Amino acid sequence: QLQLAQSEGGTVQAGESLKLSCGYRGYRSRCIAWFRQAPGKEREGVATIYGDSGITHYTSSVKGRFTISQVNWENTVYLQMDNLSPDDTATYYCAAVGRGYAGYCFEMKVGDFDYWGQGAQVTVFS
């Protein structure tokens, strides 16, 4: 079993930054991701970090602005979000795959992820 606990989100002005954290307890999943879901839209993958190598992948809309990272001794994954825009407004979720995962982390398929954080609202106003 794996438990994920997220930090709270926040409300910021366009162009500002915000950092989300996701603490995990149980074991270190091979693939951890951040997803987001805006009202009326499907949940979309934002960024992933894979295995011991720490290989990262980002959806095109956040590339160059968001950074996913992990601190193993803290059992925590972070999402640093810079130069935020109103289009980034959504509920953000961290997610992790189970032990039997055999997929491709960079694909960010919702169905591949067995464990989810509680969500954090991020609101960006112009």
Side-chain angles (χ1 to χ4, degrees):
Q1 277 286 4
L2 185 62
Q3 293 178 317
L4 304 176
Q6 295 180 227
S7 59
E8 292 185 358
T11 299
V12 298
Q13 195 168 14
E16 293 185 338
S17 299
L18 202 59
K19 189 172 186 177
L20 303 178
S21 68
C22 175
Y24 53 88
R25 187 169 63 178
Y27 67 93
R28 185 157 64 93
S29 173
R30 284 191 290 136
C31 174
I32 297 178
W34 286 96
F35 287 81
R36 66 185 180 186
Q37 188 165 18
K41 295 188 177 180
E42 292 188 354
R43 192 166 298 189
E44 65 165 344
V46 174
T48 60
I49 189 162
Y50 176 72
D52 292 334
S53 63
I55 294 174
T56 59
H57 181 77
Y58 300 91
T59 192
S60 58
S61 62
V62 308
K63 206 171 289 186
R65 300 188 299 119
F66 288 15
T67 304
I68 186 172
S69 62
Q70 62 182 11
V71 179
N72 292 336
W73 66 269
E74 290 182 348
N75 289 347
T76 302
V77 173
Y78 296 95
L79 184 68
Q80 175 68 43
M81 303 183 291
D82 297 321
N83 193 22
L84 284 160
S85 79
D87 289 341
D88 297 315
T89 295
T91 301
Y92 284 72
Y93 299 89
C94 64
V97 299
R99 290 187 184 274
Y101 178 67
Y104 296 98
C105 191
F106 66 88
E107 290 184 329
M108 293 187 279
K109 293 181 179 178
V110 172
D112 284 350
F113 292 84
D114 299 301
Y115 304 99
W116 292 84
Q118 75 273 26
Q121 177 64 39
V122 172
T123 303
V124 185
F125 61 94
S126 57

